[in-house]
Amino acid sequence: MQTLIIILGWTGLAALFVRATQQPAGATAPQAVPFLGGGTPDAHAWQRYHFRPYTMTLVFIAFEMEMMFMYPWAVVFVSEGIKALAEMGMFLAILSVGILYGWREGVFRWQ
Amino acid sequence: MGLSSPDPASVFAAIGPGWQAPVERLLARQGLRRALTPRDAGILLVAGDMPGTAAEALSRVHDQLPHPRVTLRWTIAEETADAVAERIAATWRDLRAGEADESDHLPDQPPNEWKGVGPHGQGGKGMMGGTPYGRTMAMTGEDIRDGLQLDRYTARIGPFAPMLPPGLVLEVTLQGDVIVAASVQSPPFAQPADADAPELCAARMLTLLGLDEPARRSIRGRRPSGFWVRGAVPRDLGRIKDAGNARDRLAAFLAGDSPAVAATDLSELLPGLEWSEAMLVLASFPPSSILRAAPIPEAA
């Protein structure tokens, strides 16, 4: 309980300190618009763009994480037996959903 | 910080007709720094007589300088660069001492109210619905590379964008950083032949590449070592018939000659390029060739 009070107290003090050191933005409307060299935008600056390496990231996680788990699994496989086999089956089933999704997105097509 | 602090005066330049070369040479001096955005500047240097069409844009840029800020005008050709540099230094000292400031030119009101179709300002088309302060949310369109449906952002950039020739207003539609459409809204201000000087053209490209010191050296007349610098320009970017690519043109600028570039339609040249590439391509043309390329707006 004492520890909790100390942690909360320090957190509160830290929050107050951060608040005190931050200057208020205080931007007027002309200052808040994006800088376009004097030009004006048509749309709000918030927009979605395509993060193109995302499919690569997906496949990397699917295959790399598999190996991360397989090494310790191989060490205990003999002693754990059928239970370890079932666990690995579940794990691979989950990861293969990601691989199937990547397949649908055309990650494995060589261009 | 003391007044003798060696920090350079940060100046944002709004360049008018005929003043590109003098301003670029001025801001390459020791003790001065050309800010690439008004948010980074304390002094707004207005060079030349601004046409009335640029007045509102100038006010917009002025208001984007953070406080404290000061506007300096350089409109008399007889005033030497030395005199202006001295004026800027004195103003910078005043700013550091907190003895000067200017208020906004434009009213402190958003361009529009936040208004959607619903009774509480909510709802509408677009990603989130509603139009926050008069700006609709970006709507999707086909990406020109692979046909994905991505948001399109349209804006007019210029006439005081530091990466564009002064006076040029480009209306660009962007998806991410790829330009999908571009059109010239108003042509660049006319500049005398001095603005085409190879050392200035080279410096514009070097600044875009983030090589500020080589850019300064180039303007002061010393040639940066070309080999490394040329390699910073992407391979085979902005190839024009009879004028090579951007890398060739930079090499020519660095070697001290100004290659003649045929007028090219920007609305055909820019789409498909990423923003940074497009700006490099534009900077690889001498300003006079961009002026020739820009369509003259029809008189109303």
Side-chain angles (χ1 to χ4, degrees):
Chain A
M1 192 60 204
Q2 223 172 7
T3 323
L4 185 69
I5 290 169
I6 290 171
I7 290 173
L8 282 180
W10 275 113
T11 312
L13 279 179
L16 285 177
F17 176 72
V18 168
R19 253 191 88 95
T21 51
Q22 295 284 311
Q23 288 182 351
T28 56
Q31 282 180 334
V33 293
F35 169 60
L36 297 168
T40 49
D42 278 352
H44 201 270
W46 189 7
Q47 52 174 323
R48 292 161 296 178
Y49 61 92
H50 192 235
F51 177 63
R52 290 180 187 273
Y54 96 98
T55 42
M56 187 59 224
T57 320
L58 185 83
V59 172
F60 176 80
I61 288 177
F63 287 110
E64 189 72 11
M65 289 302 113
E66 202 171 281
M67 294 315 294
M68 296 261 293
F69 187 47
M70 269 186 183
Y71 279 110
W73 173 80
V75 173
V76 299
F77 176 63
V78 175
S79 56
E80 292 288 325
I82 191 75
K83 188 176 145 219
L85 190 69
E87 273 177 359
M88 181 48 76
M90 278 153 58
F91 183 65
L92 288 184
I94 294 168
L95 281 186
S96 62
V97 175
I99 296 171
L100 285 175
Y101 177 73
W103 193 354
R104 198 197 74 165
E105 295 288 297
V107 190
F108 301 112
R109 264 204 309 267
W110 188 266
Q111 288 175 340
Chain B
M1 277 192 273
L3 293 178
S4 59
S5 163
D7 70 331
S10 188
V11 180
F12 186 85
I15 301 172
W19 285 78
Q20 188 173 16
V23 168
E24 283 175 349
R25 288 186 202 282
L26 169 77
L27 295 182
R29 288 172 173 235
Q30 208 73 48
L32 296 179
R33 189 165 65 85
R34 184 170 180 187
L36 298 178
T37 146
R39 312 223 200 268
D40 188 25
I43 295 172
L44 176 66
L45 179 66
V46 181
D49 295 315
M50 290 298 164
T53 47
E56 200 189 333
L58 187 61
S59 302
R60 240 177 256 131
V61 170
H62 170 271
D63 289 356
Q64 288 182 328
L65 268 81
H67 297 282
R69 59 193 173 197
V70 169
T71 309
L72 292 182
R73 285 178 188 278
W74 186 17
T75 48
I76 313 163
E78 282 78 48
E79 189 178 7
T80 59
D82 288 323
V84 178
E86 229 159 79
R87 212 144 56 90
I88 291 174
T91 311
W92 189 247
R93 279 195 295 276
D94 289 348
L95 277 177
R96 301 304 300 274
E99 284 166 5
D101 199 6
E102 286 172 8
S103 53
D104 283 357
H105 288 177
L106 298 173
D108 183 10
Q109 280 164 351
N112 284 292
E113 279 178 68
W114 190 321
K115 200 166 183 317
V117 294
H120 305 291
Q122 88 282 16
K125 285 185 173 179
M127 183 164 57
M128 295 292 292
T131 50
Y133 301 117
R135 311 235 184 273
T136 51
M137 304 306 280
M139 297 296 282
T140 56
E142 265 194 9
D143 183 293
I144 56 172
R145 287 175 297 187
D146 49 17
L148 288 168
Q149 291 286 314
L150 298 175
D151 286 353
R152 282 175 178 235
Y153 179 75
T154 303
R156 283 154 298 282
I157 298 178
F160 301 117
M163 55 283 198
L164 295 175
L168 177 64
V169 180
L170 267 186
E171 185 172 280
V172 289
T173 302
L174 293 157
Q175 280 181 330
D177 60 350
V178 177
I179 296 178
V180 293
S183 66
V184 175
Q185 298 283 304
S186 81
F189 300 141
Q191 306 287 347
D194 192 21
D196 286 354
E199 71 269 19
L200 294 181
C201 293
R204 284 176 210 126
M205 290 188 79
L206 294 172
T207 308
L208 283 177
L209 293 168
L211 302 166
D212 290 341
E213 269 316 302
R216 272 169 184 272
R217 278 204 294 277
S218 170
I219 294 180
R220 288 192 205 140
R222 269 180 296 153
R223 194 175 299 168
S225 58
F227 178 70
W228 301 107
V229 164
R230 275 202 304 280
V233 180
R235 201 181 293 268
D236 208 29
L237 178 69
R239 179 171 284 282
I240 301 286
K241 198 162 161 272
D242 303 329
N245 56 25
R247 202 184 269 190
D248 300 335
R249 292 192 286 273
L250 176 58
F253 293 145
L254 289 172
D257 44 70
S258 204
V261 179
T264 317
D265 187 5
L266 297 186
S267 56
E268 284 176 16
L269 182 71
L270 298 183
L273 294 174
E274 292 181 6
W275 174 256
S276 58
E277 294 173 342
M279 292 305 107
L280 261 181
V281 170
L282 279 183
S284 74
F285 300 147
S288 61
S289 74
I290 297 180
L291 179 60
R292 270 184 280 121
I296 307 298
E298 290 158 32

Short mmCIF file of all heavy atoms in Angstrom, two decimals, chain B residues 107-137:
data_model
loop_
_atom_site.label_atom_id
_atom_site.label_comp_id
_atom_site.label_asym_id
_atom_site.label_seq_id
_atom_site.Cartn_x
_atom_site.Cartn_y
_atom_site.Cartn_z
N PRO B 107 -7.22 37.38 -39.84
CA PRO B 107 -8.04 37.23 -38.62
C PRO B 107 -7.87 35.84 -38.02
O PRO B 107 -7.62 34.87 -38.73
CB PRO B 107 -9.47 37.43 -39.13
CG PRO B 107 -9.40 37.15 -40.60
CD PRO B 107 -8.03 37.56 -41.04
N ASP B 108 -7.99 35.78 -36.69
CA ASP B 108 -7.82 34.52 -35.98
C ASP B 108 -9.11 33.71 -36.04
O ASP B 108 -9.80 33.53 -35.05
CB ASP B 108 -7.42 34.81 -34.52
CG ASP B 108 -7.15 33.54 -33.74
OD1 ASP B 108 -7.08 32.47 -34.38
OD2 ASP B 108 -7.03 33.62 -32.52
N GLN B 109 -9.45 33.27 -37.26
CA GLN B 109 -10.66 32.47 -37.43
C GLN B 109 -10.34 31.31 -38.35
O GLN B 109 -9.63 31.49 -39.34
CB GLN B 109 -11.76 33.30 -38.11
CG GLN B 109 -12.47 34.22 -37.16
CD GLN B 109 -13.25 35.27 -37.90
OE1 GLN B 109 -13.12 35.41 -39.12
NE2 GLN B 109 -14.05 36.02 -37.18
N PRO B 110 -10.87 30.13 -38.04
CA PRO B 110 -10.69 29.02 -38.99
C PRO B 110 -11.41 29.36 -40.29
O PRO B 110 -12.38 30.13 -40.29
CB PRO B 110 -11.33 27.83 -38.28
CG PRO B 110 -12.21 28.41 -37.25
CD PRO B 110 -11.63 29.72 -36.86
N PRO B 111 -10.91 28.82 -41.43
CA PRO B 111 -11.52 29.15 -42.72
C PRO B 111 -13.01 28.87 -42.76
O PRO B 111 -13.76 29.56 -43.46
CB PRO B 111 -10.76 28.27 -43.72
CG PRO B 111 -9.94 27.34 -42.91
CD PRO B 111 -9.76 27.92 -41.58
N ASN B 112 -13.47 27.87 -42.04
CA ASN B 112 -14.89 27.56 -41.94
C ASN B 112 -15.14 26.95 -40.58
O ASN B 112 -14.21 26.53 -39.91
CB ASN B 112 -15.30 26.53 -43.01
CG ASN B 112 -15.40 27.16 -44.38
OD1 ASN B 112 -16.27 27.96 -44.64
ND2 ASN B 112 -14.47 26.80 -45.24
N GLU B 113 -16.41 26.86 -40.23
CA GLU B 113 -16.73 26.15 -39.00
C GLU B 113 -16.65 24.66 -39.25
O GLU B 113 -16.71 24.20 -40.38
CB GLU B 113 -18.15 26.50 -38.56
CG GLU B 113 -18.25 27.81 -37.84
CD GLU B 113 -19.69 28.09 -37.50
OE1 GLU B 113 -20.23 27.37 -36.66
OE2 GLU B 113 -20.26 29.01 -38.09
N TRP B 114 -16.56 23.92 -38.16
CA TRP B 114 -16.61 22.47 -38.28
C TRP B 114 -18.08 22.09 -38.47
O TRP B 114 -18.89 22.29 -37.60
CB TRP B 114 -16.05 21.84 -37.01
CG TRP B 114 -15.84 20.37 -37.13
CD1 TRP B 114 -16.65 19.48 -37.75
CD2 TRP B 114 -14.75 19.62 -36.63
NE1 TRP B 114 -16.13 18.23 -37.69
CE2 TRP B 114 -14.96 18.28 -37.00
CE3 TRP B 114 -13.61 19.93 -35.92
CZ2 TRP B 114 -14.08 17.27 -36.66
CZ3 TRP B 114 -12.74 18.93 -35.58
CH2 TRP B 114 -12.98 17.60 -35.95
N LYS B 115 -18.38 21.55 -39.64
CA LYS B 115 -19.79 21.30 -39.92
C LYS B 115 -19.93 20.00 -40.69
O LYS B 115 -19.30 19.80 -41.72
CB LYS B 115 -20.37 22.45 -40.74
CG LYS B 115 -21.86 22.54 -40.66
CD LYS B 115 -22.34 23.88 -41.18
CE LYS B 115 -23.84 24.04 -41.07
NZ LYS B 115 -24.60 22.88 -41.44
N GLY B 116 -20.75 19.10 -40.18
CA GLY B 116 -21.05 17.87 -40.88
C GLY B 116 -22.50 17.88 -41.31
O GLY B 116 -23.16 18.92 -41.27
N VAL B 117 -23.03 16.72 -41.70
CA VAL B 117 -24.41 16.69 -42.15
C VAL B 117 -25.37 16.50 -40.98
O VAL B 117 -26.55 16.82 -41.09
CB VAL B 117 -24.63 15.58 -43.20
CG1 VAL B 117 -23.86 15.89 -44.45
CG2 VAL B 117 -24.23 14.22 -42.66
N GLY B 118 -24.86 15.98 -39.86
CA GLY B 118 -25.72 15.69 -38.72
C GLY B 118 -26.03 16.94 -37.91
O GLY B 118 -25.44 18.00 -38.13
N PRO B 119 -26.97 16.84 -36.96
CA PRO B 119 -27.37 18.01 -36.16
C PRO B 119 -26.26 18.48 -35.22
O PRO B 119 -26.29 19.62 -34.77
CB PRO B 119 -28.58 17.52 -35.38
CG PRO B 119 -28.47 16.03 -35.37
CD PRO B 119 -27.78 15.65 -36.63
N HIS B 120 -25.29 17.64 -34.91
CA HIS B 120 -24.22 18.05 -34.01
C HIS B 120 -22.90 18.22 -34.76
O HIS B 120 -21.84 18.09 -34.16
CB HIS B 120 -24.07 17.03 -32.88
CG HIS B 120 -25.34 16.80 -32.14
ND1 HIS B 120 -25.90 17.76 -31.33
CD2 HIS B 120 -26.20 15.75 -32.13
CE1 HIS B 120 -27.03 17.30 -30.83
NE2 HIS B 120 -27.25 16.08 -31.31
N GLY B 121 -22.97 18.48 -36.05
CA GLY B 121 -21.75 18.68 -36.82
C GLY B 121 -21.05 17.40 -37.18
O GLY B 121 -19.93 17.42 -37.67
N GLN B 122 -21.70 16.27 -36.95
CA GLN B 122 -21.04 15.00 -37.23
C GLN B 122 -21.48 14.47 -38.59
O GLN B 122 -22.47 14.92 -39.16
CB GLN B 122 -21.36 13.99 -36.13
CG GLN B 122 -22.62 13.16 -36.33
CD GLN B 122 -23.90 13.91 -36.02
OE1 GLN B 122 -23.92 15.12 -35.92
NE2 GLN B 122 -24.99 13.17 -35.92
N GLY B 123 -20.75 13.48 -39.08
CA GLY B 123 -21.18 12.72 -40.25
C GLY B 123 -20.85 13.40 -41.56
O GLY B 123 -20.55 14.60 -41.62
N GLY B 124 -20.87 12.62 -42.61
CA GLY B 124 -20.56 13.12 -43.94
C GLY B 124 -19.73 12.10 -44.67
O GLY B 124 -19.53 11.00 -44.18
N LYS B 125 -19.25 12.47 -45.83
CA LYS B 125 -18.43 11.54 -46.60
C LYS B 125 -16.99 11.59 -46.11
O LYS B 125 -16.61 12.50 -45.40
CB LYS B 125 -18.48 11.92 -48.08
CG LYS B 125 -19.79 11.53 -48.73
CD LYS B 125 -19.71 11.81 -50.21
CE LYS B 125 -20.95 11.27 -50.91
NZ LYS B 125 -20.91 11.54 -52.33
N GLY B 126 -16.20 10.61 -46.56
CA GLY B 126 -14.79 10.63 -46.22
C GLY B 126 -14.48 9.71 -45.07
O GLY B 126 -15.33 9.00 -44.55
N MET B 127 -13.22 9.75 -44.65
CA MET B 127 -12.74 8.78 -43.69
C MET B 127 -13.46 8.88 -42.35
O MET B 127 -13.86 7.89 -41.78
CB MET B 127 -11.24 9.01 -43.50
CG MET B 127 -10.59 8.03 -42.57
SD MET B 127 -8.84 8.06 -42.75
CE MET B 127 -8.47 9.76 -42.43
N MET B 128 -13.61 10.09 -41.84
CA MET B 128 -14.19 10.25 -40.52
C MET B 128 -15.55 10.91 -40.57
O MET B 128 -16.27 10.92 -39.59
CB MET B 128 -13.27 11.11 -39.65
CG MET B 128 -11.94 10.49 -39.36
SD MET B 128 -12.09 9.07 -38.30
CE MET B 128 -12.61 9.87 -36.79
N GLY B 129 -15.91 11.50 -41.70
CA GLY B 129 -17.14 12.25 -41.77
C GLY B 129 -16.93 13.65 -41.27
O GLY B 129 -16.01 13.94 -40.54
N GLY B 130 -17.79 14.55 -41.72
CA GLY B 130 -17.66 15.94 -41.29
C GLY B 130 -16.57 16.65 -42.06
O GLY B 130 -15.80 16.05 -42.80
N THR B 131 -16.54 17.95 -41.92
CA THR B 131 -15.49 18.74 -42.56
C THR B 131 -14.84 19.58 -41.49
O THR B 131 -15.30 20.66 -41.18
CB THR B 131 -16.05 19.65 -43.65
OG1 THR B 131 -17.17 20.35 -43.10
CG2 THR B 131 -16.50 18.86 -44.85
N PRO B 132 -13.73 19.09 -40.90
CA PRO B 132 -13.10 19.84 -39.82
C PRO B 132 -12.64 21.21 -40.31
O PRO B 132 -11.77 21.28 -41.18
CB PRO B 132 -11.91 18.97 -39.43
CG PRO B 132 -12.19 17.63 -40.02
CD PRO B 132 -13.05 17.85 -41.20
N TYR B 133 -13.22 22.24 -39.81
CA TYR B 133 -12.85 23.61 -40.14
C TYR B 133 -12.75 23.84 -41.65
O TYR B 133 -11.78 24.40 -42.15
CB TYR B 133 -11.57 24.01 -39.42
CG TYR B 133 -11.72 23.89 -37.94
CD1 TYR B 133 -10.96 23.01 -37.20
CD2 TYR B 133 -12.70 24.62 -37.28
CE1 TYR B 133 -11.14 22.87 -35.85
CE2 TYR B 133 -12.90 24.48 -35.93
CZ TYR B 133 -12.12 23.62 -35.22
OH TYR B 133 -12.32 23.48 -33.88
N GLY B 134 -13.76 23.38 -42.36
CA GLY B 134 -13.84 23.69 -43.78
C GLY B 134 -12.99 22.81 -44.66
O GLY B 134 -12.99 22.97 -45.87
N ARG B 135 -12.24 21.90 -44.07
CA ARG B 135 -11.42 21.02 -44.89
C ARG B 135 -12.05 19.64 -44.89
O ARG B 135 -12.11 19.00 -43.85
CB ARG B 135 -10.01 20.92 -44.34
CG ARG B 135 -9.41 22.25 -44.01
CD ARG B 135 -8.09 22.42 -44.72
NE ARG B 135 -7.46 23.66 -44.32
CZ ARG B 135 -7.71 24.82 -44.92
NH1 ARG B 135 -8.58 24.91 -45.90
NH2 ARG B 135 -7.09 25.91 -44.52
N THR B 136 -12.49 19.19 -46.06
CA THR B 136 -13.05 17.86 -46.13
C THR B 136 -11.95 16.84 -45.88
O THR B 136 -10.78 17.11 -46.10
CB THR B 136 -13.65 17.60 -47.51
OG1 THR B 136 -12.64 17.94 -48.47
CG2 THR B 136 -14.86 18.45 -47.77
N MET B 137 -12.36 15.65 -45.44
CA MET B 137 -11.38 14.58 -45.31
C MET B 137 -11.05 14.09 -46.71
O MET B 137 -11.86 14.16 -47.62
CB MET B 137 -11.94 13.44 -44.47
CG MET B 137 -12.41 13.85 -43.10
SD MET B 137 -11.17 14.71 -42.14
CE MET B 137 -10.19 13.37 -41.54
#
